[in-house]
Amino acid sequence: MNIAIRYTQTILKGNKYLLLSVPIVALIGFFVVFLLSNQSTIENIQALSTETVHKNYPLLFTFSEKGAFVQSVALVILLPFLHLAFLQDLYPRPLDFNLPIGPKNRFISYILLSIVVYVYNLLIICLFNYLLQFYLQIRFMDDIKEAYDVLGYLYTDIPENTLLFNGQINSLVFMVGLTFFALLSVFLVGILYFQKYSRVKSIIFIIVFMTLSSYIGNWLWPEPHVYINQEFYIQNYPIFIWCLVSLLLYFALYHIIKNKEV
């Protein structure tokens, strides 16, 4: 394990641009996805920012009910794969080292590097969610509270599952790790197994995996999903299946590393 950790540290020190690219890509992704998925929200912000003298109380009330930026959850899952797509370029061949690196340590190192990239990206997205909340509250919260009083909502609290409290979406962000690491097994198998067009093939591999898993899940339990029995294992059987398939793929990944130089 110590060898794998030192191996991973060597890779990170030799590719410092990787740690620099994670926050840059996260910032661009956060900004672009927010612009594309929240056009009406942006229009509301622009309108409220120009109306500083005569406040638009109905618009302020409407803005207070805007949903949180849930698309940031997808960024936590998807953005790390952009960096890991260059995994083969980050790692030199084992024969390039003076001391050999065994397949076990290389396998652990791939997982460790993936964890570093994932956690780093996750923390940055969480930070952006809080910064968005902080900006909107500083800019509009006092006016919104005034709008609630003027419009007669004296005993109504501002909803907390909204953009004004966007930081609360981070509780969901921390729950998607299982999805990432399930897809990671599929992605790494595609990246490290295929010689040509491995990045494209690994993406196709993930799409096929998700499509087939969704199809098989709906075939086993057609929609709408009605739980007659509320036992934990009944409600979470899809998670158990995903974990089982993911473990089998990690096992296959280890043997790919063992049987060929990647």
Side-chain angles (χ1 to χ4, degrees), residues 18 27 40 43 48 53 69 77 81 88 98 111-112 123 125-126 130 136 142 150 195 218 221 228 237 242:
L18 175 64
L27 175 61
S40 62
E43 291 174 359
L48 293 173
V53 178
F69 184 36
I77 299 175
F81 290 115
Q88 286 182 320
N98 294 328
I111 304 302
L112 288 177
L123 294 176
I125 296 297
C126 288
Y130 277 119
L136 293 177
D142 291 340
V150 171
Q195 293 289 340
N218 289 330
W221 199 318
I228 300 175
Y237 86 96
W242 266 57

Side-chain angles (χ1 to χ4, degrees), residues 103-246:
K104 176 183 176 181
N105 289 311
R106 279 185 282 148
F107 171 78
I108 296 174
S109 181
Y110 290 137
I111 304 302
L112 288 177
L113 182 66
S114 301
I115 291 174
V116 170
V117 173
Y118 171 77
V119 173
Y120 190 19
N121 177 75
L122 180 147
L123 294 176
I124 293 171
I125 296 297
C126 288
L127 174 62
F128 289 161
N129 278 328
Y130 277 119
L131 289 177
L132 179 61
Q133 170 183 316
F134 180 74
Y135 167 75
L136 293 177
Q137 287 191 3
I138 291 295
R139 184 67 183 82
F140 300 112
M141 183 61 81
D142 291 340
D143 291 340
I144 288 173
K145 290 180 179 179
E146 182 180 335
Y148 270 62
D149 292 339
V150 171
L151 296 176
Y153 296 96
L154 301 179
Y155 303 102
T156 302
D157 295 328
I158 299 173
E160 294 187 355
N161 59 339
T162 59
L163 198 60
L164 286 169
F165 298 93
N166 194 64
Q168 295 195 20
I169 201 68
N170 288 339
S171 60
L172 180 59
V173 165
F174 278 96
M175 296 173 60
V176 299
L178 183 63
T179 301
F180 170 78
F181 286 104
L183 295 178
L184 177 65
S185 62
V186 185
F187 183 80
L188 290 179
V189 168
I191 282 289
L192 300 177
Y193 178 75
F194 297 110
Q195 293 289 340
K196 294 183 178 180
Y197 309 110
S198 59
R199 297 179 180 92
V200 175
K201 290 179 180 178
S202 63
I203 294 174
I204 295 174
F205 202 10
I206 288 180
I207 294 174
V208 171
F209 173 77
M210 295 183 67
T211 303
L212 286 177
S213 61
S214 177
Y215 174 79
I216 293 173
N218 289 330
W219 177 70
L220 292 174
W221 199 318
E223 294 185 356
H225 303 306
V226 178
Y227 297 105
I228 300 175
N229 190 330
Q230 296 297 319
E231 293 291 340
F232 175 81
Y233 61 85
I234 293 294
Q235 296 188 21
N236 293 279
Y237 86 96
I239 297 177
F240 298 146
I241 295 176
W242 266 57
C243 289
L244 177 60
V245 174
S246 180

Side-chain angles (χ1 to χ4, degrees), residues 10-21:
T10 301
I11 298 302
L12 290 173
K13 289 179 181 179
N15 299 277
K16 294 182 179 179
Y17 70 88
L18 175 64
L19 297 180
L20 180 62
S21 67

